[in-house]
Amino acid sequence: MKTLRSLGLLLMLLLPLMASATHIVGGELDLQYKSGSTYTLSLNLYFDAINGDPQALDPSLVASIFVKATNQRVVNVTLPLTSNTFVQYTNPACSVGSLSTRKLVYTKEITLDAATYANPGGYYVAVERCCRNISIGNIVNPGGAAQTFYLEFPAVVRNGAAFIDSTPRIFPPLGDYACRGELFYYDFGGQDVDGDSLIYDMVTPLNGHATAAVGNTAPLPSAAPYAPITWNPGLSVTNQIPGTPALGIDAHTGRLTVRASSLGLFVFGVRCSEYRKGVKIGETRRDFQLYVLNCPTNVAPRLQVRAANSAALYRPGRDTLRLLPGGNRCLTIRYTDPDPNSVLTMSTRAVNFTVPAPTFTTSTSGTVRAAGAPDTLTATLCFPDCSDTKGKVYLLDLIVADNGCSLPKHDTVRVAFTATQAPNAAPVLTSSFPPAPAPTADAAPTVVRVTLGQHYTATLAGTDADRNALALTATGEGFDLAAVGMQFAAQNGAGQADGTFAWEPTCAAVAAMGTAGGLVVHFKLTETGPCVPLPQERAIRFEVVPVAEVAAFRPANVITPNGDGKNDFLRMPDLPVDFCDNKFAGIKIFSRWGQEVFASAERGFQWGGQGVGGLYYYLATYTDGRKFKGWVEVIP
């Protein structure tokens, strides 16, 4: 492993004794929506764990919320200390005892109600604290410089509706150092739970109003504007850490890069602005610091690529691998490092494709132990037989990384390739079910109505021109087939599969349908073997209907009870039939004044008019709540 010999001593020389109040490495504010009008306000403060005075570790800090348009103070919030942890190194093996940072989290739930936080210009939160590390080399009077932690957020209501927003969560801070003359990179990019767009830029850290004279008592934050820190001559917001390139950040990814040209401790500021529908709605700022040190020489590893069983090296930018059915689909990778005791690791990164990805069939790491004449490590990478680029050229990066400090060095070979797979026609599924409805034949279930208590069967058949093994299956959507009396049997084989579905629905099956009114079964034909196409599928929705259904219920509306044997009684033989638990409950007949004159619970009732002519009204009910009502005229 590549280590920094005597680095601890070097850091001790770089860090003179610090004043008791100098401890701030950096930090940021954070506001997260919880529910209703409740939010969580947090301050992450990064504390120098080596030189910071423990008495400067505040048990609480005060945050103030202001109206952005007027700078009017809305409320002061006391944030208690809730967490105290260490910031981790990217590579813990590179850690040194003289460089250590604590992350202090101060947090409290607050209420942002619509009546108070409705100003369309939005609001800002500020916390002010002194002082920064005295050893910072790129600003004037660092031991007396303070930090203003700053965050902007929008009104919680917009156009009469709730407007919810949480601060983007910036990537955890770095515990690493940079080596002079070597490219340093770190991802400060964050994520936003609201899906807002994030834009990053470098900003001058804010000093604000706090001073060293305050001592260990945190001040009550003042309103904006907040004075910035003062850069040393020759430095600026675009040149916070000098180098080639100077410290910068990718506006869209939040990736920091610098190849520092000077030694020392440097503070820098990053702003993350969030946009919704093209309009800026908030921002958060993070200050942090970076040590730049002289590091032992670390030579980058090297790798070579060739097709398996081939003596010719792959030439990036000139060669394109052509992967053919039945041919060699593997690469041999040789990688090494001129530095002894380097631990090397291989990895891949797909550039313009997703799946299927190639995989290593051998170990992807090893240690170079011999100095002067370095060991050469070997790995084998194979592409799946089913890789098919459809005539396009895919790009794959092969990457070897060492374990050098402070960050690994890499070597990358970009491999261009095309791939085809052996022809394989999709299997064909046929059945005795009704044809699937168009135009959504592959999505919408076909409806099959089965009569209660009657036996229903259907057959399915799968065929494959390539004679690959086939299998037919049937699966209930949210239910077990056997539990509702359904049966499915299949005979599977090479190039052919046959299945039979059988069902005799009962009232138990009707009860299982519940309010859905049907049971969906997925019949699937699957091909096994290499490079198989997608399964073929039919979805059938089974609905149970009564033994006999009447097209329309139209009872007679006139009876003549005169004893001639013609239309003497009111009968209703066409009432809907009973269907499991949905049964005829009874009928009642009323006079025109609402007096009940007849009632029966028998489906085969008959009513002869009680010998009194006139207009009457009936109401027939069922146990499932259905009602049928109408009128009948009695003519004696």
Coordinates of all heavy atoms in Angstrom, one line a residue, residues 146 303 305 553:
A146 N -15.1 34.9 10.7 CA -16.3 34.1 11.2 C -16.9 33.4 9.9 O -16.4 33.5 8.8 CB -17.3 35.0 11.8
L303 N -2.8 -0.8 -18.0 CA -3.4 -2.0 -18.4 C -3.3 -2.2 -19.9 O -3.2 -1.2 -20.6 CB -4.9 -2.1 -17.9 CG -5.9 -1.1 -18.4 CD1 -6.5 -1.6 -19.7 CD2 -7.0 -0.9 -17.4
V305 N -5.1 -4.7 -23.1 CA -6.2 -5.6 -23.4 C -6.0 -6.3 -24.7 O -5.5 -5.7 -25.7 CB -7.5 -4.7 -23.6 CG1 -8.7 -5.6 -23.9 CG2 -7.8 -3.9 -22.3
F553 N -86.3 -7.0 -17.4 CA -87.4 -7.2 -16.4 C -88.5 -6.2 -16.7 O -88.4 -5.0 -16.4 CB -86.8 -7.0 -15.0 CG -87.9 -7.0 -13.9 CD1 -88.8 -8.0 -13.8 CD2 -88.0 -5.9 -13.0 CE1 -89.8 -8.0 -12.8 CE2 -89.0 -5.9 -12.1 CZ -89.9 -6.9 -11.9

